[in-house]
Amino acid sequence: MALRHFLTLKDLTRDELQSLIRSAIRLKADHKAGRAGKPLDGKVLGMIFEKSSTRTRVSFEAGMAQLGGSAIFLSPDDTQLGRGEPLEDTARVLSRMVDFVMIRTFEHEKLLRFAEYATVPVINALTDGFHPCQLLADIQTFVEHRGDMAGKVVAWVGDGNNMANSYINAAAMLDFQLQMACPKGYEPDPVLVEKHRKRVSLGTDPLIAVKGADLVVTDTWASMGQEEEKAERLQTFAGYQVNHEMMARARNNALFMHCLPAYRGLEVSDELMEDPRYSVIWDEAENRLHAQKALLLFLLEQLEQ
Ligand code: CP
Ligand code: NVA
């Protein structure tokens, strides 16, 4: 039995990541052809959400149901977590009852602590540090539209947040160049940037970052938990909006992605969101479902080995 967690992309080897993406693409085709089996019959996923969610909740819950299992939504408002029961205790109790736990929380350290005490696979469904499930969907989407990411150029424009950090991990694992533009003071994790200097360049000018890009990615300027900084951030990030003018500096057939939810007129223009020549955001959102099904099956397979 090999207990594996998925706390960042780096919990997978390169080969495992690539094979997981292939499996996600297969599961998508099977699902659409009505060929899917029920390999998670009787399995249960516990889903702890300390922050809001549309895509993550629905994709995990629908994915479990489609594979024959079920999911339980747990929020701090109506569990003992919100009344101070320690994470370490919750991790051990849930591990006795469910087959996987998915957590969306604030500090990445909390997720690490939970995983240390859990005896079932733990999945990072977003922390302040990383959002690796979203990267699985983004990679799947790129591969479906443009093939292998190795040697390609990806531009990150905007906040150096959880998604930005996750893109750095992906660049290191899949050998693409990541050109990042973030305002001063809003850079991604400096340790990660330094560690992957060969793959990552970081500046403040979005027009430099998007030059030659095969994919341009952005995200909200104020992530969950940063609501109070929003007004200040709107001023700082002015000039970082991804729009047609910016896409014109990228490669001719460049794609645009955004993990959503998007704030139109801020980090991305309404017109670009709706332009299918660039924008693959709906495929990207859908692929959360398929990629996470592949992830659940992978973690279960590891357990059974
Ligand atoms: N992209 C993403 O994780 O969306 P939700 O916050 O809706 O889950
Ligand atoms: N960076 C955003 C992603 C939302 C899916 C946040 O953390 O709020």
Side-chain angles (χ1 to χ4, degrees):
M1 175 185 127
L3 173 62
R4 300 277 299 270
H5 300 306
F6 184 64
L7 309 181
T8 72
L9 269 190
K10 288 188 173 171
D11 284 322
L12 302 175
T13 65
R14 284 163 186 250
D15 285 353
E16 285 169 347
L17 175 57
Q18 269 157 350
S19 132
L20 200 149
I21 298 300
R22 284 195 296 272
S23 151
I25 293 171
R26 262 197 317 273
L27 285 165
K28 183 175 183 174
D30 287 348
H31 179 64
K32 293 195 188 282
R35 282 194 300 260
K38 303 280 181 211
L40 294 187
D41 184 26
K43 302 287 181 198
V44 180
L45 168 71
M47 305 192 299
I48 300 176
F49 279 100
E50 296 195 328
K51 291 174 173 171
S52 308
S53 168
T54 298
R55 279 144 289 269
T56 305
R57 178 177 179 182
V58 175
S59 55
F60 268 113
E61 205 163 323
M64 283 301 293
Q66 289 165 11
L67 293 171
S70 58
I72 305 173
F73 176 78
L74 302 160
S75 93
D77 293 342
D78 41 36
T79 61
Q80 301 292 2
L81 264 176
R83 297 181 59 251
E85 182 165 16
L87 264 185
E88 293 82 348
D89 295 0
T90 309
R92 284 174 283 189
V93 170
L94 290 186
S95 295
R96 301 282 181 116
M97 298 175 179
V98 302
D99 302 280
F100 317 87
V101 179
M102 180 236 81
I103 311 180
R104 168 167 285 196
T105 188
F106 292 86
E107 300 84 0
H108 191 72
E109 181 275 331
K110 269 173 93 172
L111 171 78
L112 298 181
R113 213 147 37 87
F114 191 98
E116 196 185 324
Y117 285 87
T119 53
V120 296
V122 175
I123 297 169
N124 179 358
L126 183 146
T127 62
D128 292 344
F130 297 93
H131 193 7
C133 286
Q134 184 66 51
L135 260 289
L136 296 181
D138 286 23
I139 296 163
Q140 179 184 349
T141 309
F142 189 91
V143 169
E144 286 174 342
H145 283 268
R146 296 285 184 268
D148 200 356
M149 291 192 87
K152 297 290 196 304
V153 176
V154 176
W156 176 270
V157 177
D159 192 17
N161 61 14
N162 42 13
M163 280 296 297
N165 289 334
S166 302
Y167 261 93
I168 297 177
N169 280 344
M173 289 179 74
L174 297 177
D175 298 323
F176 59 83
Q177 288 306 125
L178 182 61
Q179 302 179 165
M180 311 184 89
C182 311
K184 270 219 160 332
Y186 296 88
E187 294 88 357
D189 180 348
V191 177
L192 265 186
V193 174
E194 182 55 30
K195 187 165 173 201
H196 298 298
R197 256 211 314 216
K198 235 176 69 191
R199 290 272 165 251
V200 180
S201 63
L202 174 62
T204 54
D205 187 344
L207 296 183
I208 294 179
V210 298
K211 201 158 171 242
D214 299 282
L215 166 65
V216 178
V217 194
T218 191
D219 186 12
T220 180
W221 292 338
S223 285
M224 289 179 276
Q226 298 170 336
E227 288 74 13
E228 281 173 15
E229 297 170 33
K230 192 157 181 177
E232 190 187 324
R233 282 171 170 265
L234 293 197
Q235 295 202 339
T236 309
F237 284 84
Y240 282 79
Q241 183 186 89
V242 183
N243 49 33
H244 277 98
E245 203 185 321
M246 207 177 273
M247 291 304 291
R249 309 280 187 118
R251 284 179 85 100
N252 269 340
N253 67 343
L255 298 174
F256 169 74
M257 290 193 205
H258 187 311
C259 65
L260 308 179
Y263 299 86
R264 293 161 192 246
L266 297 181
E267 76 272 9
V268 57
S269 68
D270 185 28
E271 296 76 19
L272 181 61
M273 289 272 291
E274 298 295 342
D275 186 345
R277 287 178 301 163
Y278 302 101
S279 175
V280 288
I281 53 175
W282 313 124
D283 290 344
E284 183 188 3
E286 176 187 334
N287 284 340
R288 292 292 303 277
L289 173 68
H290 311 298
Q292 288 159 197
K293 282 161 82 171
L295 173 67
L296 290 161
L297 292 174
F298 169 80
L299 294 172
L300 186 68
E301 211 177 278
Q302 298 301 309
L303 263 185
E304 287 169 352
Q305 263 176 22

